[in-house]
Amino acid sequence: MRIFDPHIHMTSRTTDDYEAMHAAGVRALVEPAFWLGQPRTSPASFFDYFDALLGWEPFRAAQYGITHHCTIALNPKEANDPRCTPVLDALPRYLVKDNVVAVGEIGYDSMTPAEDTALATQLQLAADHDLPALVHTPHRDKLAGLRRTLDVVRESALPVDRVLIDHLNETTVKEAKDAGSWLGFSVYPDTKMDEDRMVEILRTFGTEKVLVNSAADWGKSDPLKTRKVAEAMLKAGFDDDDVDLVLWRNPVAFYSLSGRLQLDAPPTDAATHEGNSILRGGA
């Protein structure tokens, strides 16, 4: 089984996590720039962080057989802090880097005017750099946040089919799907989706353009949630191809829109099917 985690914050994780992820079948991941928990007080702290996403984390991941790419942005929460907004002017020098496969995470946290400006600015940067965008939907008022997000996307130069709208759930998936975006679901203990809810969404809405991630970070989270979703899908009657589509081919297809995704040769079909046989308890 091959797994691509399209949204995980490995800066917050240990090397033991990399080792466990590889054992579970994770061979590629994308790490979006996000809020580290402690407020940043100057743009320079972002630049050190971006440099780590481009240098140190790919090196660390490679030691465990995992390919690491990233997305770069000013995240929605920090878009409200005037000490951070000068980062918007510096983003172009990072968005040209080969390892950057999208602009993200962008979107809404509290749906403020400052967040409106940051989202519109960064959607334009994505269009200017021919990159897709990874959009964060807010933790509160999710449906209102999704609708406001879609309005801004439609007003931008970036087509909606180059946008991955993340942290979706049962209240937002239909409108995001009807809009034509890519559909992201974070399977994360207590505060987001779980495996069983994810399976029900796949049964209802299908597997097309669906990406499942762990969003693992410094909070209570689990970097093996992608594998657990795969197990739940197989148990629920989805087949090997369905699992491979959701857990590998869909993330590859979305981030390939950047023209920059570079992956090692994937396992053969025989190896993939052997892995799924082992997962089910076969020899």
Side-chain angles (χ1 to χ4, degrees), residues 213-234:
N213 65 74
S214 69
D217 56 12
W218 38 257
K220 181 181 179 182
S221 50
D222 182 353
L224 303 184
K225 280 293 189 182
T226 47
R227 174 69 183 221
K228 292 173 183 177
V229 168
E231 293 170 348
M233 288 178 67
L234 292 172

Side-chain angles (χ1 to χ4, degrees), residues 1 10 12 17 57 98 123-124 132 151 173 193 211 261:
M1 177 180 294
M10 294 308 298
S12 306
D17 291 322
E57 282 305 323
D98 288 343
L123 287 170
Q124 184 62 53
D151 286 343
V173 56
M193 298 291 296
L211 286 74
L261 191 68

